[in-house]
């Protein structure tokens, strides 16, 4: 078969159309690659054929258990060695003492226990001459008494002694009021032995904190004694 050295015009036109179609197809493919692959990859968008992204699993909530609280070991109260302690005076404003009439404690004391020991020892003392308010004293025993028999006067005409025993945890609670006027001092002067029996008061409440408000007039001095049964020596 003889060789055809030249293409006809119709053949050239067909080849040109095929070449143009190929270029158009290639251009469309490049545009699709840019739009569907390169652009999402650079912007972080999901690929169209990747489907919906799988949801991120949320870790299960674990309750936080607080650390165990260490309970401090209570410090035991020291035992009493039998020596009396002195109670000093403080500024009355320390206790925010309210003005006006004070509510009295009218609770009847329990009946006297006949087995109560008759020997008392001094647990604490209050010494002074003038009016004043004492510091707080804790009586760590269930029974105690106040002995106010040791009071000396400088004037037999207008002596006066008043002692208010207050609850340190409740300033409105009056435990007891002890008042000595001229008649009591004259009776004690005639029968001094009665002071040891009458100028004392026993309290059937203890394990508590107290303070004392003292008012005086024409006294040389007073020596008050907080006393407890002797059996409490060496105990808390």
């Amino acid at each position: 078969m003889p060789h055809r050295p030249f293409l006809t015009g119709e053949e050239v036109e067909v080849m040109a159309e095929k070449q143009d179609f190929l270029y158009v197809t290639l251009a469309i493919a490049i545009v699709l690659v840019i739009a569907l692959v390169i652009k999402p990859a650079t912007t972080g968008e999901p690929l169209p054929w990747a489907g919906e992204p799988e949801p991120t699993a949320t870790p299960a909530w674990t309750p936080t258990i607080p650390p165990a609280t260490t309970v401090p070991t209570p410090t035991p109260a020291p035992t009493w060695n039998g020596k009396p302690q002195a109670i000093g005076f403080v500024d009355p404003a320390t206790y925010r003492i309210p003005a006006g009439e004070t509510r009295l404690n009218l609770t009847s004391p329990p009946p006297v226990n006949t087995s109560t020991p008759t020997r008392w020892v001094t647990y604490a003392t209050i010494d002074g001459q003038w009016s004043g308010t004492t510091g707080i004293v804790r009586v760590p025993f269930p029974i105690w008494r106040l002995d106010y028999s040791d009071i000396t006067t400088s004037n037999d005409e207008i002596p006066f002694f008043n002692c208010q025993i207050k609850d340190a945890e409740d300033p409105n609670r009056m435990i007891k009021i002890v008042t000595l006027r001229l008649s009591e001092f004259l009776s004690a002067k005639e029968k001094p032995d009665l002071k040891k029996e009458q100028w004392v008061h026993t309290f059937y409440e203890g394990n508590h904190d107290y303070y004392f408000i003292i008012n005086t007039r024409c006294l040389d001095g007073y020596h008050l004694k907080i006393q407890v049964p002797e059996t409490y020596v060496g105990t808390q």
Side-chain angles (χ1 to χ4, degrees):
M1 182 176 180
H3 179 69
R4 295 171 55 186
F6 302 102
L7 299 175
T8 64
E10 184 178 353
E11 293 175 338
V12 171
E13 184 176 355
V14 171
M15 292 182 63
E17 291 177 356
K18 290 181 178 181
Q19 188 176 12
D20 291 341
F21 178 76
L22 180 62
Y23 288 156
V24 171
T25 302
L26 182 61
I28 292 173
I30 293 174
V31 170
L32 291 176
V33 170
I34 294 174
L36 300 179
V37 179
I38 298 178
K39 183 178 179 181
T42 57
T43 60
E45 298 177 359
L47 299 177
W49 60 84
E52 293 295 330
E54 296 183 1
T56 303
T58 303
W61 177 76
T62 303
T64 302
I65 301 176
T69 302
T70 303
V71 179
T73 303
T75 303
T79 57
W80 181 44
N81 60 6
K83 297 181 180 180
Q85 56 179 308
I87 304 174
F89 292 89
V90 299
D91 184 350
T94 301
Y95 306 113
R96 300 179 181 178
I97 298 174
E101 183 179 356
T102 306
R103 178 171 57 88
L104 298 179
N105 177 24
L106 301 179
T107 304
S108 300
V112 177
N113 187 354
T114 56
S115 63
T116 300
T118 56
R119 177 166 174 76
W120 298 81
V121 293
T122 301
Y123 174 73
T125 60
I126 305 172
D127 295 286
Q129 179 181 2
W130 315 109
S131 301
T133 302
T134 73
I136 294 175
V137 58
R138 180 166 186 81
V139 181
F141 310 111
I143 182 175
W144 59 284
R145 76 175 188 176
L146 179 66
D147 183 337
Y148 47 94
S149 60
D150 192 358
I151 299 176
T152 57
T153 63
S154 58
N155 190 322
D156 291 338
E157 295 181 0
I158 53 173
F160 178 78
F161 174 82
N162 175 270
C163 179
Q164 304 172 35
I165 297 92
K166 302 277 287 186
D167 186 336
E169 297 179 1
D170 183 2
N172 292 320
R173 178 174 178 249
M174 183 74 71
I175 307 298
K176 175 70 177 177
I177 297 179
V178 174
T179 302
L180 300 176
R181 297 181 176 87
L182 177 60
S183 57
E184 285 80 15
F185 284 104
L186 291 178
S187 297
K189 188 175 181 180
E190 296 174 358
K191 299 179 180 180
D193 292 339
L194 293 179
K195 293 173 60 176
K196 293 295 182 180
E197 300 176 4
Q198 298 180 355
W199 289 18
V200 294
H201 185 82
T202 303
F203 298 86
Y204 295 92
E205 63 163 67
N207 300 308
H208 207 66
D209 296 329
Y210 306 93
Y211 66 91
F212 301 79
I213 302 175
I214 299 173
N215 294 283
T216 66
R217 183 178 62 237
C218 298
L219 297 184
D220 287 339
Y222 52 83
H223 177 65
L224 310 184
K225 292 172 286 188
I226 296 175
Q227 298 180 321
V228 298
E230 187 180 28
T231 54
Y232 292 148
V233 176
T235 62
Q236 292 183 357

